């Protein structure tokens, strides 16, 4: 009898295990089905928003909420709790549960408020040279709610260790984390923009901004030589261009327009403060803005409230949203703007004065095109966001409260000087030939975190630089080839000044060119950051390699931000690097 009872008990136990396994498998199948459907719903929702289809938006959002909620409910029950405690696969079950809960919460608290105001996007872009300030203010709360939801989702996803997940789940989990992180960053920028734009657009009184077009054909640390500069006035949302000036008309001053630090003079010499065109030899856009304002206000009556900056690549993005413009018989499009603005102009207009006049006409024409309205607000917002992400669009406000709001964002173009911030590595370039040969400069930069020792990371850097100028570059106009002879070069060669910034409190060593150590003065400290300079003379089609080693400052264990001068052509040169700690 006892033996029979034992067999019956074992049979019941085995049956229960089989039933649980079957139920767990069925639950897992349903969760996978729900999450897959939620991904499809999110894709359909995005297409519906971009297509301005209100009925499809509501239907897609409803399905997204239903499917994500179903997955979250299934992974919150007893069955899933047991799966999370199983050996080998428990962490995978936990990862699925976290992803499901994140998807549900984002659908409710993150996506829904943003979808609710998606129809109002056309109110936040210019129309008839005016932006509706009240519409911007109405968007502040929904965007702030969306930002908070995505920030929370990012923290929850990052808080899980996905290294032990099975490969398929690990790949999907990390992709979800990346997408949420990207969305959180975009919403953070949007939230900041909505908080500062009403004041910047003159809700409290007229504002004057210096609009600087950086010319990447003559490279500078922040992008390019300041070419055409204009004053843009904003008054209660109304925007207009009031004055245009060629930057080269400022000439040099006898002494710096603002006092320079010892490190600024040591690294860049006093030309940083005496020549308007060289204020951005150094990489801090805030500092360049201060120097530009000081020189501007010595010459012109406007008291500047801030500085804005774009480059020709960013202009090409804007033209992708607005459509082509015609300037002096030349049609500028998204596809040809970079070549026209950085190369063909010098062949079309040999006279520098004629070049400057054409650049000013381009600036006004593109400004008028953007400010009078575009067909797709989403495309314009995306164009500006791409320019900001690639460090081609910068904003600086001389209002301390507004500047504090954007500090640390990509749009501010700050040089990191806080030892407690994420470690930043800088790789910045300046033309030394007074030429327009940077149009042909190609470069790639990589940094790897190689070790972590007691809160200090070791970093290895590598950069490849190449002159893609044609072999017959000597036939290019003199204005393009510049003062090559001064530096012992030949027509078409270019002198490139490289400035490598280590993290705050860090070290730089072992700088080498093509594997051979570069001898010279050691690093100079600039605001607590070690700086090394290398001077490279590149002939047409010549390629060189630079390598170096670094250490971060103490207790800088986070991911590394690598900031690189934006290049000619689309795409970002800057990048994040995973921490070694």
């Amino acid at each position: 009898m006892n033996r029979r009872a034992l067999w019956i008990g074992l049979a019941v136990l085995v049956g229960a295990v089989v039933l649980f396994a079957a139920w767990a498998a069925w639950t897992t199948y349903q969760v996978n089905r729900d999450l897959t459907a939620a991904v499809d719903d999110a894709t359909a929702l995005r297409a519906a928003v971009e297509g301005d289809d209100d009925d499809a938006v509501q239907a897609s959002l409803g399905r997204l909420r239903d499917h994500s909620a179903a997955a979250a409910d299934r992974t919150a029950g007893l069955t899933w709790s047991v799966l999370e405690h199983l050996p080998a696969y428990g962490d995978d079950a936990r990862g699925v549960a976290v992803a499901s809960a994140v998807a549900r919460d984002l659908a409710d608290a993150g996506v829904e408020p943003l979808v609710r105001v998606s129809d109002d996007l056309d109110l936040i872009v210019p129309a008839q040279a005016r932006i509706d300030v009240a519409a911007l203010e109405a968007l502040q709360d929904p965007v702030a709610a969306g930002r908070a939801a995505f920030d929370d989702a990012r923290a929850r996803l990052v808080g899980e260790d996905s290294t032990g997940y099975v490969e398929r789940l690990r790949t999907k989990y990390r992709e979800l984390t990346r997408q949420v992180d990207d969305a959180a960053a975009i919403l953070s920028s949007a939230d900041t923009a909505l908080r500062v734009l009403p004041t910047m657009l003159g809700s409290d009184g007229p504002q004057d901004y210096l609009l600087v077009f950086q010319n990447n054909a003559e490279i500078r640390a922040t992008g390019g030589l300041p070419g055409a500069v204009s004053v843009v006035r904003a008054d209660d949302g109304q925007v207009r261009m009031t004055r245009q000036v060629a930057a080269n008309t400022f000439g040099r001053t006898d002494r710096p327009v603002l006092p320079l630090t010892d490190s600024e003079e040591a690294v860049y010499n006093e030309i940083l403060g005496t020549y308007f065109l060289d204020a951005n030899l150094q990489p801090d856009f805030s500092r360049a803005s201060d120097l530009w304002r000081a020189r501007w206000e010595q010459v012109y009556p406007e008291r500047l409230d801030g500085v804005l900056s774009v480059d020709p690549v960013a202009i090409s993005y804007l033209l992708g949203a607005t459509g082509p413009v015609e300037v002096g018989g030349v049609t500028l499009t998204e596809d040809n703007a970079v070549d026209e603005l950085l190369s063909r102009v010098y062949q079309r207009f040999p006279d520098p004065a004629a070049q400057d006049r054409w650049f000013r006409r381009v600036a006004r024409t593109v400004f008028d095109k953007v400010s009078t309205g575009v067909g797709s607000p989403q495309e314009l917002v995306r164009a500006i966001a791409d320019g900001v992400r690639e460090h081609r669009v910068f904003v600086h406000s001389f209002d301390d409260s507004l500047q504090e709001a954007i500090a640390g964002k990509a749009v501010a173009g700050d040089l990191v000087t806080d030892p407690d911030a994420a470690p930043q590595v800088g790789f910045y370039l300046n033309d030394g030939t007074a030429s327009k040969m940077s149009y042909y400069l190609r470069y790639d930069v990589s940094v790897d975190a190689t070790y972590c020792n007691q809160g200090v990371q070791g970093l290895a850097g590598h950069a490849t630089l190449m002159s893609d100028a044609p072999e017959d570059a000597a036939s290019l106009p003199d204005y393009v080839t510049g003062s090559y002879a001064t530096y012992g070069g030949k027509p078409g060669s270019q002198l490139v000044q490289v400035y490598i910034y280590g993290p705050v409190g860090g070290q730089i060593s072992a700088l080498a060119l093509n594997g051979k150590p570069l001898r010279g003065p050691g690093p100079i400290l600039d605001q607590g950051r070690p700086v090394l300079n290398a001077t490279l003379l590149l002939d047409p089609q010549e390629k060189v390699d630079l390598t170096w080693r670094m250490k971060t400052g103490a207790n800088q264990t986070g991911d590394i931000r690598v900031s690189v001068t934006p290049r000619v052509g689309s795409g970002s040169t800057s990048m994040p690097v995973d921490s070694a700690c």
Side-chain angles (χ1 to χ4, degrees):
M1 185 68 178
N2 289 338
R3 179 175 295 181
R4 183 182 179 196
L6 177 61
W7 280 109
I8 291 173
L10 287 174
V12 170
L13 177 61
V14 170
V17 170
V18 170
L19 286 173
F20 177 80
W23 177 250
W26 171 243
T27 302
T28 302
Y29 165 77
Q30 289 180 304
V31 169
N32 182 66
R33 181 193 62 190
D34 290 333
L35 289 177
T36 300
V39 171
D40 293 339
D41 297 334
T43 302
L45 176 60
R46 177 174 179 174
V49 170
E50 292 178 347
D52 200 23
D53 186 338
D54 290 340
D55 291 339
V57 165
Q58 294 305 318
S60 299
L61 177 59
R63 291 194 299 270
L64 174 62
R65 296 176 72 173
D66 290 344
H67 286 130
S68 59
D73 289 344
R74 297 185 204 282
T75 56
L78 178 61
T79 300
W80 208 266
S81 177
V82 172
L83 292 178
E84 290 181 17
H85 289 84
L86 291 178
Y89 296 107
D91 57 343
D92 299 276
R94 168 69 182 168
V96 172
V98 170
S100 300
V102 162
R104 176 199 59 203
D105 294 344
L106 283 180
D108 288 338
V111 176
E112 195 276 334
L114 299 175
V115 168
R116 195 169 60 243
V117 297
S118 61
D119 286 343
D120 298 331
L121 270 180
D122 58 338
L123 300 177
I124 69 171
V125 297
Q128 302 305 312
R130 189 175 189 278
I131 297 176
D132 189 337
V133 174
L136 292 177
E137 293 171 339
L139 288 171
Q140 289 173 345
D141 287 345
V143 171
R147 174 190 178 177
F150 273 86
D151 283 347
D152 177 69
R154 173 171 55 183
R156 289 157 66 188
L157 290 169
V158 171
E160 299 295 323
D161 183 4
S162 63
T163 56
Y165 296 172
V166 295
E167 183 177 357
R168 184 180 178 190
L169 174 61
R170 182 171 65 248
T171 300
K172 288 188 174 182
Y173 189 92
R174 289 180 175 176
E175 175 62 17
L176 173 63
T177 303
R178 186 190 65 77
Q179 291 188 8
V180 169
D181 186 65
D182 288 347
I186 291 171
L187 285 170
S188 175
S189 297
D191 184 35
T192 299
L194 288 170
R195 285 188 285 117
V196 303
L197 274 175
T199 301
M200 294 186 70
L201 287 168
S203 62
D204 299 327
Q207 302 277 295
D208 285 323
Y209 296 94
L210 191 66
L211 177 60
V212 178
F213 285 83
Q214 296 197 52
N215 185 337
N216 314 80
E218 187 170 343
I219 202 165
R220 292 289 188 273
T222 64
L225 176 93
V229 293
S230 312
V231 173
V232 173
R233 167 160 286 205
D235 188 3
D236 193 27
Q238 197 80 28
V239 290
R240 59 192 178 94
M241 189 175 284
T242 61
R243 186 191 299 274
Q244 290 186 280
V245 176
N248 58 14
T249 61
F250 285 97
R252 289 191 184 182
T253 56
D254 293 334
R255 59 179 59 87
V257 293
L258 293 175
L260 301 181
T261 66
D262 291 343
S263 60
E264 285 177 330
E265 291 208 25
V267 178
Y268 301 103
N269 75 53
E270 73 169 13
I271 197 172
L272 188 70
T274 60
Y275 203 25
F276 188 93
L277 298 177
D278 287 337
N280 59 337
L281 287 174
Q282 55 77 44
D284 189 337
F285 186 75
S286 295
R287 180 58 166 163
S289 298
D290 287 336
L291 293 166
W292 283 328
R293 176 178 69 162
R295 181 61 177 135
W296 179 273
E297 293 184 352
Q298 286 180 347
V299 180
Y300 294 103
E302 292 90 356
R303 303 300 92 179
L304 298 176
D305 297 290
V307 178
L308 317 173
S309 176
V310 297
D311 74 1
V313 178
I315 290 174
S316 75
Y317 296 161
L318 293 175
L319 292 175
T322 65
V325 297
E326 185 171 329
V327 184
V330 179
T331 299
L332 295 177
T333 69
E334 178 182 16
D335 295 327
N336 73 2
V338 173
D339 292 335
E340 290 288 351
L341 294 170
L342 298 181
S343 177
R344 294 174 192 156
V345 58
Y346 303 113
Q347 301 170 33
R348 186 177 292 110
F349 302 111
D351 179 12
Q355 297 163 12
D356 290 336
R357 286 193 296 271
W358 191 72
F359 281 131
R360 291 198 295 274
R361 290 183 64 186
V362 169
R364 180 171 290 279
T365 302
V366 174
F367 177 84
D368 289 345
K369 183 76 170 180
V370 172
S371 63
T372 54
V374 297
S376 172
Q378 292 94 338
E379 289 298 322
L380 180 59
V381 171
R382 185 177 295 113
I384 295 172
D386 286 344
V388 170
R389 179 176 53 83
E390 296 178 12
H391 303 281
R392 304 182 185 281
V393 175
F394 293 119
V395 174
H396 181 80
S397 173
F398 297 119
D399 180 316
D400 290 342
S401 62
L402 295 181
Q403 185 59 27
E404 183 179 352
I406 66 174
K409 308 290 186 186
V411 74
D414 295 329
L415 182 71
V416 174
T417 58
D418 181 359
D420 296 326
Q424 183 193 55
V425 171
F427 188 90
Y428 305 113
L429 303 174
N430 286 307
D431 169 70
T433 326
S435 72
K436 298 298 180 285
M437 292 300 297
S438 301
Y439 172 75
Y440 300 103
L441 182 62
R442 307 290 179 260
Y443 50 94
D444 288 293
V445 180
S446 63
V447 174
D448 294 310
T450 56
Y451 68 83
C452 180
N453 182 20
Q454 297 181 340
V456 174
Q457 297 187 65
L459 310 176
H462 175 241
T464 299
L465 297 93
M466 176 187 177
S467 170
D468 197 31
E471 294 285 1
D472 63 347
S475 64
L476 293 170
D478 291 343
Y479 190 80
V480 174
T481 55
S483 54
Y484 55 87
T486 305
Y487 307 100
K490 59 186 180 182
S493 62
Q494 55 181 304
L495 193 75
V496 182
Q497 297 285 354
V498 179
Y499 296 88
I500 303 173
Y501 276 67
V504 179
Q507 301 175 23
I508 310 178
S509 62
L511 181 63
L513 176 64
N514 295 330
K516 297 181 179 179
L518 282 177
R519 308 299 181 188
I524 296 173
L525 280 182
D526 183 15
Q527 301 181 76
R529 298 185 61 171
V531 184
L532 273 181
N533 167 235
T535 301
L536 308 177
L537 184 61
L538 297 176
D539 290 330
Q541 297 300 305
E542 184 178 4
K543 179 187 289 187
V544 299
D545 285 297
L546 273 178
T547 55
W548 65 92
R549 294 198 172 275
M550 288 179 172
K551 291 182 180 179
T552 67
N555 301 314
Q556 294 180 4
T557 58
D559 291 345
I560 299 95
R561 294 165 51 192
V562 181
S563 175
V564 182
T565 297
R567 62 187 164 210
V568 173
S570 61
S572 179
T573 50
S574 300
M575 71 213 78
V577 175
D578 290 339
S579 169
C581 296

